[in-house]
Amino acid sequence: MKKFLILLLILSSCKKAVYYYPSKEFFEKYSPKEIIIDDLSFQEITDSLSNELWKNKKRLFITLKDSYSIFKISPFTYTGGYIREKNILEIVDDSLWYSANKVSIKELGKHIKLHYENNGKQAFLPDSYKRAFIQLNLDPKDSSEKLKKRLLYIIQVYNYTNIDFKDSIKLNIMIDYCQDKVYHQSIPPPSPIILED
């Protein structure tokens, strides 16, 4: 009997905590549907989220796990409309863009803190933490594993960063990919125009 009780205690202590992003209230209100992304490319994942938002006005969520926790994340995509650039903390692959400068993703904690605590102090950062969000841009061909790693990293850095009023913040994450790559080519000069009288 003692062995059974000890086993029960061990199993109950191994239960993982569940965290919701942007918030638990969001999940209760919108009841998003889970999407399994294991065999999908980043473009397929992003397009699936966009199509569901655009056509059915429904949100989807992705489940991620680490050793101790389960994370349920409902990212959004750009489906049109105006977004103020200063509300975006943009992560492009393994770098982050801050005030038009490329910065190492290792500095994410410092910049997340600045981003959510600004509240109108600096003109190029969000006026309110309620409008602030993180945008993750990856290559369309990237794997779901890469997306999972980046999302887990963002969440772990966010969770370990000391941010004022963190209980009030909803961690919204937008995912996107560049649809048109610009290739710089040297263009030959135009031919001279000969005018005839």
Side-chain angles (χ1 to χ4, degrees):
M1 186 67 175
K2 281 185 179 181
K3 288 180 183 178
F4 179 72
L5 287 174
I6 291 170
L7 182 62
L8 244 155
L9 283 172
I10 291 171
L11 289 175
S12 65
S13 66
C14 293
K15 190 174 178 181
K16 293 184 176 187
V18 180
Y19 298 95
Y20 299 88
Y21 299 94
S23 68
K24 189 171 185 178
E25 294 79 25
F26 173 89
F27 274 75
E28 291 168 353
K29 183 176 180 180
Y30 295 103
S31 302
K33 186 172 73 172
E34 184 171 14
I35 179 174
I36 307 301
I37 64 170
D38 295 337
D39 299 324
L40 301 177
S41 70
F42 183 69
Q43 180 175 357
E44 291 169 326
I45 296 164
T46 306
D47 291 349
S48 297
L49 293 170
S50 294
N51 289 336
E52 200 65 28
L53 275 170
W54 184 255
K55 291 179 183 174
N56 303 320
K57 308 281 190 261
K58 295 240 181 197
R59 292 286 293 261
L60 301 174
F61 76 90
I62 299 165
T63 301
L64 302 177
K65 297 175 184 175
D66 69 8
S67 305
Y68 308 104
S69 309
I70 297 171
F71 304 101
K72 295 188 178 195
I73 306 158
S74 182
F76 68 100
T77 60
Y78 180 71
T79 55
Y82 176 69
I83 296 175
R84 295 186 79 173
E85 283 188 34
K86 69 181 189 174
N87 292 330
I88 304 169
L89 179 57
E90 186 176 14
I91 299 169
V92 180
D93 196 16
D94 61 352
S95 300
L96 109 96
W97 285 90
Y98 176 75
S99 184
N101 294 311
K102 191 174 181 179
V103 179
S104 169
I105 199 164
K106 293 176 182 175
E107 295 183 32
L108 183 60
K110 176 176 97 174
H111 293 290
I112 281 180
K113 185 172 176 66
L114 285 169
H115 191 65
Y116 284 101
E117 287 184 354
N118 184 62
N119 293 320
K121 294 175 203 156
Q122 294 181 26
F124 58 90
L125 290 173
D127 292 328
S128 169
Y129 62 82
K130 293 178 182 177
R131 291 187 209 91
F133 65 92
I134 294 172
Q135 179 178 333
L136 175 60
N137 294 332
L138 296 176
D139 189 273
K141 294 176 184 164
D142 281 340
S143 68
S144 60
E145 283 306 309
K146 187 170 185 177
L147 172 62
K148 289 178 184 180
K149 285 179 186 173
R150 290 288 183 267
L151 287 173
L152 266 176
Y153 181 74
I154 291 166
I155 287 168
Q156 288 168 342
V157 169
Y158 173 79
N159 287 340
Y160 289 114
T161 302
N162 183 20
I163 303 170
D164 293 340
F165 311 111
K166 196 176 207 175
D167 294 341
S168 304
I169 295 171
K170 292 175 176 44
L171 182 63
N172 284 296
I173 300 173
M174 177 175 151
I175 62 172
D176 200 7
Y177 58 87
C178 183
Q179 295 184 15
D180 298 316
K181 285 193 175 181
V182 177
Y183 296 98
H184 298 283
Q185 299 176 0
S186 58
I187 300 171
S191 303
I193 299 174
I194 300 171
L195 299 173
E196 294 181 19
D197 288 329

